[in-house]
């Protein structure tokens, strides 16, 4: 657990969990993003988890990590949030997750398994929650529970089936789920482009909303915003010609989280 405490901190302070990609580290994600400098402006805390696996990937495949309070990397990250609330003045009611690639996958996992902890997520080039599931996946593998079919965009399910998967990870939960925005590039050859549609199907079912409209060249040229419902719970961004991964849009994340 690595934490960035801003120069001027809100009391209590919102918490953003910024989750690195495979082969990455907490330090690399700190250096490759602008969350820390924005924290100094807006007063929030940033947690940078560091994956325990040898290849830097997160466990988004095991039953433990996918399921509420069953352990795995997801519960470890939730423990970091609890620690920041108790020891650094974090606001338990304003906790958000974001990440790229494997970190994007973990953001979806956290939203599914710990909707009582996180209020919103921003996903950069990931896959649906549960897509990499492998029974008995071994923690510590270089790529824990890697699924070629999922990575290649071949795990196609109905919206209902995806939604049922998410709901199964926290049995009995009747509260709200975190709002989600999802970025994906059309030229992604690592976690292929069909994963965007599958993620949007998944969360649209969880929220009980349907596709409303596309907005072209939003937030920039070549990007298309995909709005579901009234756009307050779920939006997607298709980035034309962009590979793996979509560049981080930090100011959009802060707006989505309601921090700035």
């Amino acid at each position: 657990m690595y934490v960035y405490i801003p120069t001027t901190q809100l009391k209590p302070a919102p918490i953003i969990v910024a989750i690195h990609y495979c082969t990455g580290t907490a330090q690399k994600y700190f250096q490759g993003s602008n969350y820390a400098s924005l924290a100094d402006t807006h007063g929030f805390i940033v947690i940078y988890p560091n994956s325990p696996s040898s290849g830097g990937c997160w466990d988004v495949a095991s039953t433990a990590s996918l399921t509420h309070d069953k352990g795995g990397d997801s519960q470890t990250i939730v423990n970091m949030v609890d620690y920041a609330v108790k020891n650094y003045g974090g606001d338990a009611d304003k906790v958000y997750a974001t990440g790229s690639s494997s970190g994007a996958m973990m953001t979806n996992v956290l939203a599914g398994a710990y909707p009582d902890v996180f209020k919103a997520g921003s996903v950069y080039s990931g896959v649906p929650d549960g897509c990499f599931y492998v029974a008995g996946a071994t923690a510590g593998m270089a790529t824990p529970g890697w699924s070629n079919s999922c990575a290649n965009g071949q795990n196609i399910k109905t919206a209902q089936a995806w939604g049922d998967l998410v709901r199964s990870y926290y049995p009995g939960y009747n509260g709200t789920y975190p709002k989600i925005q999802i970025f994906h590039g059309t030229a992604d050859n690592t976690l292929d482009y069909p994963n965007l549609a599958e993620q949007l199907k998944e969360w649209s079912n969880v929220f009980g909303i349907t596709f409303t409209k596309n907005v072209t060249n939003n937030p920039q040229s070549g990007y298309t915003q995909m709005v579901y419902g009234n756009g307050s719970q779920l939006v997607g961004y298709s980035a034309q010609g962009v590979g793996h991964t979509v560049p981080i849009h930090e100011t959009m994340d802060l707006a989505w989280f309601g921090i700035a």
Side-chain angles (χ1 to χ4, degrees), residues 23 32 88 100 102 107 135 138 173 183 189 200 207 211 229 253:
T23 75
Y88 300 130
S100 300
S102 185
T107 298
T138 304
Y173 179 73
F183 297 81
N189 294 319
L200 291 170
F207 294 128
F211 173 77
D253 293 342

Side-chain angles (χ1 to χ4, degrees), residues 214-225:
N214 283 333
V215 183
T216 57
N217 297 316
N218 183 17
Q220 64 199 67
S221 178
Y223 282 57
T224 298
Q225 183 191 49

Side-chain angles (χ1 to χ4, degrees), residues 189-226:
N189 294 319
T190 302
L191 300 173
D192 288 11
Y193 184 65
N195 281 302
L196 173 59
E198 297 308 296
Q199 290 173 86
L200 291 170
K201 285 158 61 175
E202 179 173 69
W203 289 110
S204 66
N205 181 266
V206 170
F207 294 128
I209 56 179
T210 57
F211 173 77
T212 302
K213 63 180 178 179
N214 283 333
V215 183
T216 57
N217 297 316
N218 183 17
Q220 64 199 67
S221 178
Y223 282 57
T224 298
Q225 183 191 49
M226 309 159 82

Side-chain angles (χ1 to χ4, degrees), residues 8-34:
T8 302
Q9 179 180 325
L10 294 176
K11 298 187 183 300
I15 299 171
I16 293 179
V17 181
I19 312 169
H20 67 73
Y21 43 87
C22 280
T23 75
T25 62
Q27 289 84 355
K28 287 181 179 178
Y29 214 57
F30 164 76
Q31 294 164 357
S33 63
N34 293 318

